Amino acid sequence: MGRPSGGNRKEEILEAGLEVFAKKGYYNTTTAHIAEKAGISQPYVFRFYKTKEELFIAALDRAFDRILDTFKNVDASGEQLVEKMIDAYDKLSELHPNEIALQVIGISVTESAIRNATQKGLSNIRSYTLERFRDAGIENVEREVTTFLARGILCNISYFVDLPELIDTKNK
Amino acid sequence: MGRPSGGNRKEEILEAGLEVFAKKGYYNTTTAHIAEKAGISQPYVFRFYKTKEELFIAALDRAFDRILDTFKNVDASGEQLVEKMIDAYDKLSELHPNEIALQVIGISVTESAIRNATQKGLSNIRSYTLERFRDAGIENVEREVTTFLARGILCNISYFVDLPELIDTKNK
DNA sequence: CTTTAGTTATTGATGAATCAATAACTAAAG
DNA sequence: CTTTAGTTATTGATTCATCAATAACTAAAG
């Protein structure tokens, strides 16, 4: 046919991929599923992303980038920092649940390029958090950062596997 | 051909499955890989486990059962409980790393029977931990249990994605 | 304006590979 | 011979990825 597009096809595909990957996981998502969600044909996906893997990594990068940006936009110091960061993450999770799911999925994908992206993403988040906690003068930084990240990831998992009992109730 | 076995084939297959699944993940593991590891032919696997999924669930159940057993064998009260439980888990992780990996893998497998097994496994661990913490008279139980589980899972992830920097160094 | 040449957007068809699962068979033990 | 333990051969389904064809648009030429 012709050119019904108009918008940014590449972006549309990324968005579609994000949705489908988040729901079905990496391996159970076919390029046909993504194409369908994006309203295009399956082979056309490959005009924009050389491989399914490349598309997944693009989506995963977006997820990690947004977390980092969210933390960077937290403007608080000292005592309030941790609380504000948790609030920011909670808001992000509500606004972009698919990106949260993608993080969880990335962890157990064994393809090496994806593994690398996951390592880099997690590593960056830890580094940045450590820096902020340190600057805020928090005691016992390393341990506090680990606990902070651990609780965050457990939240993601609790959401992804649909097991809300996994986290304590009065945690907003 | 004949009957080279002698031992418990079903158990051997489970063990082989545990190893291969832990290393390659659920979807990248083929029944041929498992068969090879177990030293038998690919179709023979199906004599003992109706489906690949059934075999994975058997392996996953074993992993969760062992964690629960490990915690049940922790004999400590009050102040020492948490410390002892962490020690026990550390030991378990060293002794059965494949089972730790399997836990992580189970989380992002979307097949519903596997999802159910994962939910049940995590849920049981939380319930039991909660009970123990409560009996030990720990303050703010819910929150402490969440943190305990969160840190444990982050350890698993850190091991599985090979990113040791993810956890604080002087932990163990 | 209106051809015409060229480009961009998109699809249908399909190849090659992989895999779980089944069926049919064989050989040893008792 | 018949049960047990195991194999080889095979299949049907799926899926990523390629490619040739085509529809729709743009811009230059007359």
Side-chain angles (χ1 to χ4, degrees):
Chain A
M1 313 214 167
R3 64 181 52 184
S5 170
N8 189 351
R9 267 283 125 98
K10 191 163 187 176
E11 174 61 22
E12 286 168 24
I13 293 169
L14 186 75
E15 217 76 44
L18 212 56
E19 268 190 68
V20 185
F21 281 132
K23 186 160 141 209
K24 304 176 97 77
Y26 179 69
Y27 301 99
N28 280 326
T29 294
T30 72
T31 55
H33 289 139
I34 297 171
E36 194 187 355
K37 180 68 95 183
I40 59 172
S41 71
Q42 178 261 332
Y44 197 39
V45 170
F46 291 84
R47 269 302 125 128
F48 300 91
Y49 297 94
K50 262 195 281 293
T51 61
K52 173 183 162 178
E53 192 175 287
E54 189 182 305
L55 170 52
F56 183 82
I57 291 173
L60 190 60
D61 282 348
R62 165 154 311 181
F64 280 123
D65 285 352
R66 199 190 302 274
I67 295 174
L68 218 49
D69 287 350
T70 300
F71 286 161
K72 281 178 179 163
N73 281 334
V74 170
D75 172 31
S77 57
E79 296 290 280
Q80 291 149 43
L81 181 68
V82 180
E83 201 190 334
K84 291 272 182 178
M85 278 179 77
I86 291 171
D87 285 354
Y89 193 71
D90 281 347
K91 249 174 223 157
L92 167 73
S93 301
E94 251 178 74
L95 214 52
H96 300 279
N98 293 336
E99 298 179 10
I100 299 298
L102 223 64
Q103 251 188 103
V104 176
I105 290 164
I107 289 168
S108 42
V109 171
T110 56
E111 268 70 18
S112 69
I114 297 179
R115 168 67 45 92
N116 284 340
T118 298
Q119 288 172 334
K120 201 167 274 181
L122 291 174
S123 184
N124 286 341
I125 291 175
R126 175 166 173 106
S127 303
Y128 183 75
T129 307
L130 195 60
E131 195 189 306
R132 288 299 295 274
F133 276 33
R134 205 164 258 148
D135 289 356
I138 291 173
E139 311 267 297
N140 221 313
V141 226
E142 297 246 345
R143 177 160 249 278
E144 287 306 317
V145 168
T146 300
T147 302
F148 175 78
L149 295 178
R151 293 184 60 99
I153 290 177
L154 188 66
C155 266
N156 298 164
I157 291 172
S158 153
Y159 162 72
F160 186 73
V161 305
D162 189 33
L163 196 68
E165 318 90 277
L166 210 53
I167 47 175
D168 44 288
T169 28
K170 67 167 170 273
N171 202 32
K172 207 251 131 139
Chain B
M1 317 235 160
R3 66 181 51 186
S5 171
N8 189 352
R9 268 282 124 102
K10 191 163 187 176
E11 174 61 22
E12 286 168 24
I13 293 170
L14 185 76
E15 217 76 45
L18 210 56
E19 267 191 67
V20 184
F21 280 133
K23 185 158 142 212
K24 304 177 98 81
Y26 178 70
Y27 301 99
N28 280 326
T29 294
T30 70
T31 55
H33 289 140
I34 297 171
E36 194 187 355
K37 181 67 97 184
I40 59 171
S41 72
Q42 178 261 332
Y44 197 40
V45 170
F46 291 85
R47 276 296 133 130
F48 300 91
Y49 295 95
K50 262 197 283 294
T51 62
K52 173 182 162 178
E53 194 175 284
E54 188 182 306
L55 170 52
F56 183 82
I57 291 173
L60 190 60
D61 282 347
R62 165 154 311 182
F64 280 122
D65 284 352
R66 199 189 303 275
I67 295 174
L68 218 50
D69 287 350
T70 300
F71 285 160
K72 282 180 179 163
N73 281 334
V74 170
D75 172 32
S77 57
E79 295 291 280
Q80 292 150 42
L81 180 68
V82 181
E83 204 188 332
K84 292 273 180 178
M85 276 178 79
I86 291 172
D87 286 353
Y89 194 70
D90 281 347
K91 249 174 226 158
L92 167 74
S93 300
E94 252 178 74
L95 213 54
H96 299 280
N98 293 336
E99 297 178 11
I100 298 298
L102 222 64
Q103 249 189 105
V104 176
I105 291 164
I107 289 168
S108 43
V109 170
T110 55
E111 268 70 18
S112 69
I114 297 179
R115 169 65 45 92
N116 283 341
T118 298
Q119 288 172 333
K120 202 167 275 183
L122 291 174
S123 184
N124 286 341
I125 291 175
R126 176 166 173 104
S127 303
Y128 183 75
T129 308
L130 195 60
E131 194 189 309
R132 289 299 295 274
F133 276 33
R134 204 165 259 149
D135 288 356
I138 291 172
E139 311 268 296
N140 222 312
V141 226
E142 297 246 343
R143 176 160 250 275
E144 288 305 318
V145 168
T146 300
T147 301
F148 175 79
L149 294 179
R151 293 185 60 100
I153 289 178
L154 188 66
C155 267
N156 299 163
I157 291 173
S158 155
Y159 162 73
F160 186 72
V161 305
D162 189 33
L163 195 70
E165 319 90 277
L166 210 55
I167 48 176
D168 45 288
T169 27
K170 67 168 171 269
N171 203 33
K172 205 261 128 121

